[in-house]
DNA sequence: AAAATAGTGTGACATACATCAAATTATTTT
DNA sequence: AAAATAATTTGATGTATGTCACACTATTTT
């Protein structure tokens, strides 16, 4: 069950059995059903989540009660409200599964402890955040310089799996358009 | 001249004189005039830059020859094409000063070496990227859920200094609108 | 100081996307 | 299987922002 986590670490660093056992002892396993929130707006955030199964989403609700998806997280990826977690301010996001899901939970405190105790764990997380940073930067560029149709086409190319698992209104929200607009985009290809 | 760099590190970690001297020996100082590029599209990217003076911008040029500003970097901040740097692909960005500027240059190779040799340097950069990640996440939320006027108002609140140093057409580009639209936004306040 | 260049502002018009309302289809729950 | 709920599609209309053209103002350069 924690094999996926080990493989995940070992894409970047190598670990002995005992090192991995020590690391993984700081994670707890959690099964989630639809509408079971890991994080809700206003809460203090203490944990970070590594996805084993299913798909999670993080999103905010704006003043007009509209939902805006910030992130999807598929297996082998991490999710949390990092703004709230790192700056210790109340969360502005909700995080819950798209359908059902399974995650491994680690507290920020334990993560920092591990980073402190094991240089290579700190190395791992630095590399990981670097990749996350690059991904977000690409997303910003996409939002700034391409129209909704291009963003849509890029997304299906990059994550075809999403289109099976995730309702189109959530994908529309992630792309920054309404579900009506998304519907029209792929009904009337270029 | 490297005082700013030391202060920058010591916001997160503590360093002895000899440690700092060792670290800073990997940086070289560079003065830049307007239109002097640190990075151009298509190039291989080897370095990262720490801003001492002035203001730099990173931007892409799209297929219609329009410029899109990804980032401004004021003193005490870092800039590079991280996508190109970390993934070792040709750059899709240009980076040059808004007016004139001074930077400290470090190669990715040296940075990785330092991270490897000194755990606390790796810790520093992990924390730093985490903050960068959070900043980008906030920017994505802004692009997805607020209109140009709100993004504009948030930006002047957060970085009033930019509005002295940076032509408004660059600010418009950073916000994802045309200069004409930005002009109309602040001519006709809400 | 004149000339050249870079930056900004304004009007007329075009367009991508949002909004609202309603019909249709798919999926869950009982 | 029926009923309830969730997701998608479609049409009519509104609005924010883009585009183009040109005038105006600053700032460099000669």
């Amino acid at each position: 069950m924690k094999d996926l986590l080990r493989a995940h670490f070992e894409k970047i660093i190598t670990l002995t059995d005992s090192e991995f056992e020590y690391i993984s002892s700081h994670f707890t396993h959690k099964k989630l059903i639809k509408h079971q929130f890991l994080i809700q707006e206003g809460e203090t955030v203490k944990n970070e989540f590594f996805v084993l199964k299913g798909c999670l989403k993080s999103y905010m609700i704006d003043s007009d009660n509209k939902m805006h998806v910030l992130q999807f997280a598929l297996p082998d990826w991490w999710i949390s409200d990092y703004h709230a977690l790192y700056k210790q301010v109340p969360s502005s996001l909700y995080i819950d599964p798209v359908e059902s899901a399974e995650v491994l939970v680690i507290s920020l405190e334990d993560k920092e402890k591990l980073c402190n105790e094991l240089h290579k764990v700190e190395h791992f997380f630095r590399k990981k955040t670097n990749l996350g940073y690059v991904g977000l930067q690409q997303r910003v560029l996409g939002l700034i310089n391409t129209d909704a149709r291009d963003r849509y086409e890029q997304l299906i190319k990059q994550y075809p799996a999403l289109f099976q698992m995730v309702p189109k209104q959530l994908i529309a929200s992630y792309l920054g358009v309404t579900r009506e607009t998304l519907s029209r985009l792929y009904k009337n290809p270029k």
Side-chain angles (χ1 to χ4, degrees), chain A:
Chain A
M1 170 179 82
K2 285 179 173 169
D3 294 355
L4 187 60
L5 184 66
R6 179 158 192 175
H8 184 67
F9 276 107
E10 295 207 322
K11 276 175 203 160
I12 294 177
I13 57 177
T14 56
L15 294 170
T16 64
D17 286 358
S18 70
E19 281 171 336
F20 177 68
E21 203 180 320
Y22 178 66
I23 292 169
S24 75
S25 74
H26 295 80
F27 288 81
T28 62
H29 185 265
K30 193 165 188 172
K31 290 194 185 202
L32 299 168
I33 59 168
K34 210 172 174 177
H35 300 131
Q36 184 178 351
F37 288 94
L38 289 173
I39 291 176
Q40 287 186 265
E41 187 185 0
E43 289 179 0
T44 300
V45 177
K46 294 207 169 73
N47 300 314
E48 192 170 344
F49 309 95
F50 177 74
V51 182
L52 293 173
K53 268 193 193 171
C55 178
L56 306 199
K57 61 182 190 290
S58 69
Y59 58 98
M60 62 165 295
I61 304 290
D62 72 15
S63 49
D64 297 330
N65 246 28
K66 270 178 297 190
M67 169 196 258
H68 303 276
V69 174
L70 177 61
Q71 190 196 343
F72 294 113
L74 292 167
D76 202 41
W77 200 245
W78 299 82
I79 194 167
S80 186
D81 179 347
Y82 291 103
H83 179 69
L85 187 67
Y86 293 143
K87 304 225 168 172
Q88 284 302 302
V89 296
S91 179
S92 50
L93 302 179
Y94 297 86
I95 299 183
D96 73 345
V98 171
E99 294 288 332
S100 60
E102 289 181 40
V103 297
L104 294 174
V105 185
I106 187 172
S107 69
L108 178 64
E109 202 184 332
D110 281 345
K111 180 183 162 185
E112 294 298 320
K113 195 192 78 170
L114 287 173
C115 282
N116 206 37
E117 290 169 346
L118 292 163
H119 187 168
K120 57 184 164 183
V121 171
E122 183 128 49
H123 179 73
F124 170 82
F125 281 112
R126 180 173 67 90
K127 289 287 169 169
K128 216 61 211 161
T129 318
N130 281 347
L131 294 180
Y133 184 88
V134 165
L136 272 183
Q137 196 159 293
Q138 295 303 106
R139 181 145 175 234
V140 168
L141 281 177
L143 286 169
I144 281 185
N145 78 60
T146 67
D147 63 13
R149 157 167 283 125
D150 285 354
R151 296 200 300 273
Y152 167 74
E153 282 167 3
Q154 263 191 263
L155 188 70
I156 42 177
K157 201 184 282 176
Q158 205 176 350
Y159 300 103
L162 279 183
F163 289 74
Q164 274 79 61
M165 321 185 57
V166 179
K168 301 213 172 48
Q169 41 183 325
L170 293 182
I171 288 172
S173 169
Y174 178 88
L175 292 170
V177 295
T178 59
R179 63 197 160 79
E180 292 95 330
T181 295
L182 181 63
S183 172
R184 289 176 177 117
L185 286 182
Y186 64 80
K187 285 293 150 180
N188 319 310
K190 228 176 307 191

